[in-house]
């Protein structure tokens, strides 16, 4: 069998642009949705044109035009959605319900990967308000996919390094501190950090793999399963300096959270589950899932000591 043709929706976004590049690098005939609503967003247009230069096909389609979505979907075997689910930027997760309807009508798609790429929403039923809305929206999309009998793979990519590793998981910055650092609780609960390019590589490897059909693919490369304290230790070694540490108890974190505006509460509320409950690593992967680094040991994923060197 040849490699699947792939349509990427949200291909100019933070993870989407990496998925487009990974599709091309792995030899897939790649289509990228170009939405007429782009208007005057010149950076996104130029990114789309750069994909075209690299061999991708641009397909005009809009969430406000059902037939255009159906026509786009009919060109491919696999659809990967990477539309934004980050509240402090744009939160568009439920727009995917329109994409699900188009995929169902088209009837030709062998695999759909909705926009998830973070915590597994199926495990977040007890998440704090208002942050739980992220997981509820993703579960609504999953429900629609499964009710439509669309073959799927869900990607649980844990923590993007750009957001959580480069900052040492500090709130309000994406660069590592050089003097003082805050730790959540005692900083010892394990999380999982992924270079975004590796997220894209693992994602695209899964699309033609029968082992990931109708399953969740968890990205847990073993050397990147680290506590916040271990991550800080890596940075301290790189800069040759010990940082002054402040430990934030859970009740202090929750009090601070209540004082933030809604969009920040949604995103930062997830920190509680990650660093005070250890929600990324406090379970074993069952029959419903697979682990990416075991399926694809040939991927030489970026370790966090290597990742952090660019910040020195």
């Amino acid at each position: 069998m040849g490699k699947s043709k792939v349509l990427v929706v949200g291909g100019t976004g933070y993870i989407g642009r990496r998925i487009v590049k990974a599709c091309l690098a792995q030899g897939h005939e790649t289509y990228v949705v170009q939405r007429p609503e782009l208007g005057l967003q010149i950076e996104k247009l130029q990114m789309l044109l750069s994909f075209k230069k690299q061999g991708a096909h641009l397909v005009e389609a809009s969430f406000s035009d059902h037939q255009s979505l159906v026509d786009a979907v009919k060109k491919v075997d696999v659809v990967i959605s990477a539309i934004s689910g980050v509240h402090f930027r744009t939160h568009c997760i439920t727009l995917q319900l329109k994409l699900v309807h188009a995929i169902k009508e088209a009837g030709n798609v062998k695999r759909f990967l909705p926009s998830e790429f973070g915590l597994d929403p199926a495990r977040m039923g007890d998440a704090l308000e208002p942050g739980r809305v992220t997981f509820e929206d993703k579960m609504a999309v999953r429900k629609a996919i499964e009710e439509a009998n669309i073959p799927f793979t869900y990607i649980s990519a844990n923590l993007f390094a750009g957001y959580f590793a480069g900052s040492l998981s500090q709130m309000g910055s994406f660069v590592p501190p050089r003097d003082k650092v805050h730790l959540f609780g005692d900083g010892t609960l394990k999380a999982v950090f992924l270079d975004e390019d590796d997220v894209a590589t693992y994602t695209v490897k899964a699309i033609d793999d029968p082992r990931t059909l109708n399953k969740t693919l968890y990205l847990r490369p073993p050397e990147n399963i680290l506590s916040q304290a271990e991550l800080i230790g890596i940075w301290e070694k790189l800069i040759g300096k010990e940082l002054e540490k402040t430990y934030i108890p859970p009740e202090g974190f929750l009090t601070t959270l209540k004082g933030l505006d809604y969009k920040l509460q949604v995103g930062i509320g997830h920190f509680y589950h990650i660093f005070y409950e250890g929600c990324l690593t406090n379970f074993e992967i069952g029959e419903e899932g697979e682990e990416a680094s075991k399926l694809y040991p040939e991927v030489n994923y970026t370790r966090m000591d290597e990742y952090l060197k660019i910040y020195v």
Side-chain angles (χ1 to χ4, degrees):
M1 285 179 61
K3 294 198 173 191
S4 290
K5 297 178 182 178
V6 185
L7 176 70
V8 182
V9 183
T12 61
Y14 184 72
I15 197 69
R17 63 179 181 263
R18 293 173 166 90
I19 288 172
V20 172
K21 290 177 182 176
C23 286
L24 292 168
Q26 293 181 39
H28 292 275
E29 189 171 336
T30 305
Y31 295 76
V32 186
V33 167
Q34 179 176 344
R35 295 166 63 188
E37 294 88 348
L38 272 180
L40 301 177
Q41 297 179 72
I42 188 69
E43 295 91 350
K44 290 189 175 183
L45 174 59
Q46 289 183 341
M47 191 183 302
L48 287 167
L49 294 174
S50 75
F51 294 151
K52 189 174 180 181
K53 285 182 181 177
Q54 294 168 56
H57 307 278
L58 303 184
V59 185
E60 190 158 303
S62 171
F63 284 108
S64 60
D65 181 349
H66 174 72
Q67 191 57 48
S68 73
L69 289 176
V70 173
D71 292 344
V73 165
K74 282 184 175 178
K75 295 178 183 292
V76 300
D77 309 301
V78 172
V79 177
I80 303 176
S81 173
I83 65 175
S84 177
V86 181
H87 271 77
F88 69 81
R89 298 173 74 178
T90 52
H91 182 74
C92 309
I93 291 299
T94 54
L95 266 182
Q96 294 177 108
L97 295 173
K98 296 184 177 183
L99 188 55
V100 171
H101 294 318
I103 291 170
K104 183 178 181 181
E105 182 175 323
N108 62 295
V109 168
K110 298 175 184 174
R111 196 84 64 101
F112 176 42
L113 285 69
S115 186
E116 295 207 353
F117 304 109
L119 286 66
D120 180 3
R123 303 191 60 83
M124 300 306 295
D126 296 325
L128 294 171
E129 294 280 9
R132 63 182 297 131
V133 67
T134 303
F135 310 117
E136 290 170 346
D137 286 353
K138 289 180 177 181
M139 288 306 292
V141 173
R142 284 191 180 192
K143 183 172 184 283
I145 291 167
E146 292 172 29
E147 286 180 351
N149 291 315
I150 296 168
F152 63 83
T153 299
Y154 303 138
I155 305 293
S156 178
N158 295 301
L159 304 182
F160 290 163
Y163 281 82
F164 286 92
S167 64
L168 307 184
S169 301
Q170 304 301 287
M171 295 181 287
S173 175
F174 292 139
V175 294
R178 291 178 177 270
D179 297 303
K180 301 177 181 179
V181 67
H182 292 90
L183 288 89
F184 302 106
D186 61 7
T188 59
L189 289 182
K190 300 282 187 176
V192 191
F193 302 88
L194 269 293
D195 182 302
E196 293 82 345
D197 290 338
D198 293 336
V199 172
T201 297
Y202 283 126
T203 297
V204 175
K205 279 190 169 288
I207 64 177
D208 283 332
D209 189 342
R211 297 173 296 180
T212 61
L213 178 62
N214 296 335
K215 289 192 174 185
T216 298
L217 182 66
Y218 295 93
L219 278 52
R220 280 189 182 178
E223 291 184 44
N224 285 2
I225 300 173
L226 301 165
S227 68
Q228 188 191 13
E230 287 171 329
L231 186 70
I232 291 166
I234 291 169
W235 175 243
E236 289 176 326
K237 187 175 180 181
L238 284 171
I239 63 172
K241 178 182 179 182
E242 188 171 340
L243 304 185
E244 181 184 328
K245 298 173 181 68
T246 300
Y247 296 87
I248 305 172
E251 57 274 14
F253 178 88
L254 293 172
T255 300
T256 302
L257 184 66
K258 290 175 183 175
L260 302 174
D261 71 29
Y262 173 80
K263 288 183 178 180
L264 287 174
Q265 281 192 50
V266 169
I268 291 176
H270 299 168
F271 277 64
Y272 183 83
H273 303 295
I274 295 163
F275 295 110
Y276 291 102
E277 296 179 345
C279 71
L280 301 181
T281 58
N282 65 0
F283 64 96
E284 296 296 324
I285 298 170
E287 291 183 358
E288 81 291 343
E290 298 285 352
E291 198 286 303
S293 67
K294 290 180 181 175
L295 294 187
Y296 314 115
E298 70 276 10
V299 176
N300 183 23
Y301 63 88
T302 302
R303 278 67 172 170
M304 288 301 105
D305 55 347
E306 190 64 36
Y307 184 88
L308 285 171
K309 282 179 182 177
I310 194 67
Y311 295 93
V312 174

